[in-house]
Amino acid sequence: MNRRLPVLRIGAASAVAALCLTAVPQAASAAPPATPPGLAQQDTLRWNTPKDFRIGSAVAGGGHHTSADYPEPFPSDPEYRSVLAREFSSLTPENQMKWEFIHPEEGVYDFGPADDIVDFAEANGQVVRGHTLFWHSQNPDWLENGDHTPEELRAVLKEHIYTVVGHYEGRIQQWEVANEIFDDSGRLRTEDNIWLRELGPGIIADIFRWAHDADPNAQLFFNDYNVEGLNAKSDAYYALIQDLLAQGVPVHGFGMQTHLGLQYGFDGRMQQNLQRFDDLGLETAVTEIDVRGPVGADGQMSPELRQKQADWYRMALEACLAVEDCNSFTVWGVLDEHSWVPNTFPGYGDALTMEGGYERKPAYDALQETLVRSQPGGDAKWEHHPAFR
Ligand code: G3I
């Protein structure tokens, strides 16, 4: 892949403002010129993504959305769907493929909402990342509070993986097979993960083998948060994956969720960390990025923090673009108003790249500029980019 790291770091919004002030003094009172349709298409994230790279979003639905004061965006909001199609080339169901949604009763599957997303993605030339097959959270009651023997649980898990992965065979680019299996100190979650608790760590190799058997073309991933830097948790994944690969287990990728908080640091070794997984022959991906910060009553951070947030989005994208087989970068939602963050961390939010009526934040501009500049001739291209209009 022929990618270059961006060198100049000027936010598109500030660049637009600078141009308006110097070249078009009456711009504040004049109506903005209508954008020709071709230019509007070019002024998106998706249009500016290198051709072998995917820029993605979670598709809002389920989870915290079910108790929110807005209707589910994906089935009901044409503008939301149009932004998803225009801006992104990869989609991840935020909750719709998790056990509690897709397998609500024992032996009963509800593929409807996830099918809608996969159909939509195909109609819009997008790939889908499947999320997720093996997790300690969002499992249905019949599973968590059932009285299955270990032998029965193994059969339930195997049947689920063959059924769900088989249902989407050939339609999922990357499956998050195992999600969040280590805690932050690098210990396997052998208490809160029902599968690890009841079946032992040997089950990890089995689930990758089953998923590969059910869809030999899907890339099979581990996925977790707090693994962007070099630390005990990312070391634990590195050791486990080395071991599994040595046994011939079909593991193809490592996903860094990248749920960042401005109150913590940005580990500048993210590229180095991605690179060591790349060196194992794996695909890597940024799978769920958002960058939260402390917000006021209006739900917004200060302008200074928003700029810092934009820098962190840019640094994460630069780290991924700089690594040969980091080919996918997904934000965990489109609009701040739909984000999981305020629901889980009261007083924090403003974590995504768009707000309100799909207005772009500095974080959006940082991603767009980084994508443009990462390509050959990108600096010159950026200077003529429609974002400057
Ligand atoms: O199950 C309870 C229910 O008993 C209770 O009545 C109800 C009250 O609001 O809450 C229900 O739990 C909700 C859960 O989804 C169930 O679907 C939580 O409040 C809600 O916060 C949760 O949200 C989802 C969260 O995963 C669950 O862990 C979010 O929508 C979703 O964005 C988030 O996504 C995860 C990724 O899958 C994995 N990585 C971390 C990421 C952010 O947490």
Side-chain angles (χ1 to χ4, degrees), residues 192-360:
D192 46 0
N193 182 309
I194 182 173
W195 312 112
L196 295 172
R197 185 177 67 234
E198 303 298 330
L199 303 176
I203 193 64
I204 296 168
D206 290 333
I207 62 175
F208 278 87
R209 290 191 176 109
W210 295 335
H212 186 58
D213 197 29
D215 187 350
N217 292 316
Q219 296 169 343
L220 306 182
F221 273 61
F222 285 94
N223 188 52
D224 213 324
Y225 60 87
N226 287 351
V227 291
E228 296 73 36
L230 296 172
N231 55 42
K233 197 177 193 178
S234 60
D235 286 350
Y237 277 103
Y238 187 71
L240 173 65
I241 293 172
Q242 272 187 310
D243 188 34
L244 292 171
L245 291 175
Q247 294 173 49
V249 177
V251 177
H252 310 123
F254 184 59
M256 299 181 179
Q257 293 181 8
T258 322
H259 293 291
L260 303 177
L262 291 175
Q263 68 274 36
Y264 310 116
F266 184 101
D267 191 324
R269 298 168 299 181
M270 184 170 179
Q271 181 183 329
Q272 187 185 341
N273 193 28
L274 285 163
Q275 187 63 53
R276 69 171 170 161
F277 287 95
D278 186 274
D279 291 343
L280 293 178
L282 298 182
E283 286 281 323
T284 54
V286 170
T287 57
E288 306 182 9
I289 191 171
D290 46 30
V291 182
R292 63 185 180 272
V295 294
D298 60 358
Q300 294 186 6
M301 299 190 259
S302 65
E304 294 73 25
L305 282 181
R306 278 194 165 189
Q307 192 50 54
K308 184 173 172 186
Q309 174 190 56
D311 291 341
W312 285 26
Y313 268 100
R314 176 179 14 249
M315 291 189 290
L317 180 56
E318 285 178 356
C320 181
L321 285 166
V323 172
E324 179 79 16
D325 286 318
C326 188
N327 293 318
S328 178
F329 185 97
T330 292
V331 289
W332 204 236
V334 181
L335 280 182
D336 281 334
E337 287 77 356
H338 297 157
S339 166
W340 68 288
V341 169
N343 193 51
T344 303
F345 301 107
Y348 288 82
D350 207 351
L352 293 170
T353 69
M354 291 187 184
E355 62 185 336
Y358 300 92
E359 291 93 23
R360 299 170 176 190

Side-chain angles (χ1 to χ4, degrees), residues 58 60-68 92-95 98 100-101 131-132 135-139 141 176 179-180 223-225 257 259 287-288 290 332 338-341 343-345:
H64 66 286
H65 304 285
T66 54
S67 52
T92 307
E94 184 175 355
N95 293 290
K98 293 173 180 172
E100 68 175 0
F101 289 90
H131 179 78
T132 174
W135 196 20
H136 64 272
S137 178
Q138 286 182 278
N139 290 324
D141 267 358
E176 270 141 25
N179 195 43
E180 302 174 6
N223 188 52
D224 213 324
Y225 60 87
Q257 293 181 8
H259 293 291
T287 57
E288 306 182 9
D290 46 30
W332 204 236
H338 297 157
S339 166
W340 68 288
V341 169
N343 193 51
T344 303
F345 301 107

Side-chain angles (χ1 to χ4, degrees), residues 53-242:
F53 193 86
R54 297 283 173 169
I55 188 87
S57 174
V59 178
H64 66 286
H65 304 285
T66 54
S67 52
D69 59 2
Y70 50 78
E72 290 248 331
F74 182 71
S76 67
D77 183 346
E79 191 176 6
Y80 177 81
R81 294 167 74 91
S82 140
V83 172
L84 270 188
R86 196 167 64 232
E87 293 285 349
F88 301 102
S89 53
S90 174
L91 299 180
T92 307
E94 184 175 355
N95 293 290
Q96 302 89 333
M97 285 186 181
K98 293 173 180 172
W99 273 72
E100 68 175 0
F101 289 90
I102 212 163
H103 199 163
E105 304 291 339
E106 187 156 8
V108 176
Y109 289 87
D110 178 5
F111 289 113
D115 283 356
D116 290 345
I117 294 170
V118 176
D119 291 345
F120 177 89
E122 286 179 349
N124 290 290
Q126 297 162 309
V127 297
V128 179
R129 305 194 73 260
H131 179 78
T132 174
L133 300 168
F134 182 99
W135 196 20
H136 64 272
S137 178
Q138 286 182 278
N139 290 324
D141 267 358
W142 68 261
L143 175 65
E144 289 286 344
N145 301 317
D147 58 357
H148 301 89
T149 64
E151 293 69 32
E152 288 168 343
L153 278 176
R154 182 180 163 82
V156 163
L157 178 59
K158 184 173 182 180
E159 192 258 354
H160 178 94
I161 290 177
Y162 272 96
T163 303
V164 175
V165 177
H167 181 80
Y168 293 110
E169 185 185 356
R171 305 178 76 192
I172 301 285
Q173 183 206 26
Q174 299 179 337
W175 261 111
E176 270 141 25
V177 174
N179 195 43
E180 302 174 6
I181 62 167
F182 287 105
D183 66 19
D184 283 353
S185 61
R187 276 192 299 262
L188 274 177
R189 291 182 187 264
T190 48
E191 285 169 23
D192 46 0
N193 182 309
I194 182 173
W195 312 112
L196 295 172
R197 185 177 67 234
E198 303 298 330
L199 303 176
I203 193 64
I204 296 168
D206 290 333
I207 62 175
F208 278 87
R209 290 191 176 109
W210 295 335
H212 186 58
D213 197 29
D215 187 350
N217 292 316
Q219 296 169 343
L220 306 182
F221 273 61
F222 285 94
N223 188 52
D224 213 324
Y225 60 87
N226 287 351
V227 291
E228 296 73 36
L230 296 172
N231 55 42
K233 197 177 193 178
S234 60
D235 286 350
Y237 277 103
Y238 187 71
L240 173 65
I241 293 172
Q242 272 187 310

